[in-house]
Amino acid sequence: LEGHKFSNKDLKENSRLMIVYFNPLCEVCQRETKEILTNMDYFKDMQIVMVSPNTKEELKTFVEEHNLNNFPQITVLHDVNDVFYKEFHAIGYPSLYLYDENKNLVEHFDSHADIREIKDAYNPQTAKQK
């Protein structure tokens, strides 16, 4: 949101990653964000990148309303040209992309994902059952 470019080089090494494609005006996206924040103990060692094509003003309001600046592991990106949507073939809001420490895709959700579903995706025992 400060106008800096963000690329794969900005991803933390050896860290799980959750990318959230969202619309700050979407009620489901707001609810999902609240669920993530309520479970920050679980996500404390995970990098969370939130991407949205909405206006910078809408994003800044969203960041302030949810106090996202209090969480250093969360980065909110303004996707001015909606490149993420095109590259990741996102179907709608919210879309979640979960990656392991080696940046391998673990799970992808094209809609709201329950916290239990997210945790299960990262649980090796659950992943083997799929």
Side-chain angles (χ1 to χ4, degrees), residues 42 106 116-130:
Y42 178 81
V106 173
R116 174 174 234 106
E117 292 177 294
I118 295 170
K119 290 179 179 180
D120 284 350
Y122 281 114
N123 181 338
Q125 298 293 32
T126 307
K128 289 179 185 175
Q129 295 171 4
K130 291 185 179 180

Side-chain angles (χ1 to χ4, degrees), residues 57-70:
E57 291 75 26
E58 290 168 339
L59 290 172
K60 285 183 178 182
T61 298
F62 183 84
V63 167
E64 289 171 13
E65 287 175 353
H66 295 282
N67 297 311
L68 297 182
N69 287 330
N70 293 338

Side-chain angles (χ1 to χ4, degrees), residues 31-118:
R31 186 171 61 243
E32 183 137 72
T33 300
K34 288 176 185 174
E35 289 175 8
I36 290 169
L37 295 175
T38 300
N39 287 274
M40 281 310 285
D41 284 345
Y42 178 81
F43 297 114
K44 67 182 176 205
D45 296 323
M46 182 184 301
Q47 183 177 16
I48 300 172
V49 177
M50 301 181 72
V51 182
S52 177
N54 285 61
T55 68
K56 192 178 275 193
E57 291 75 26
E58 290 168 339
L59 290 172
K60 285 183 178 182
T61 298
F62 183 84
V63 167
E64 289 171 13
E65 287 175 353
H66 295 282
N67 297 311
L68 297 182
N69 287 330
N70 293 338
F71 303 96
Q73 67 272 49
I74 297 178
T75 303
V76 178
L77 301 177
H78 181 213
D79 188 5
V80 179
N81 297 315
D82 209 5
V83 173
F84 185 89
Y85 171 79
K86 297 169 191 166
E87 292 294 322
F88 282 74
H89 307 286
I91 292 177
Y93 302 115
S95 290
L96 276 75
Y97 302 82
L98 310 179
Y99 294 87
D100 66 13
E101 296 83 357
N102 299 311
K103 303 305 177 255
N104 296 311
L105 183 65
V106 173
E107 188 68 74
H108 165 230
F109 298 98
D110 282 322
S111 61
H112 170 75
D114 183 86
I115 291 298
R116 174 174 234 106
E117 292 177 294
I118 295 170

Side-chain angles (χ1 to χ4, degrees), residues 4-26:
H4 305 290
K5 299 264 184 206
F6 189 93
S7 73
N8 290 346
K9 295 175 187 172
D10 296 299
L11 297 175
K12 293 180 183 174
E13 293 288 325
N14 304 313
S15 174
R16 293 179 298 164
L17 169 68
M18 178 169 46
I19 300 175
V20 181
Y21 180 68
F22 76 106
N23 177 333
L25 305 177
C26 159

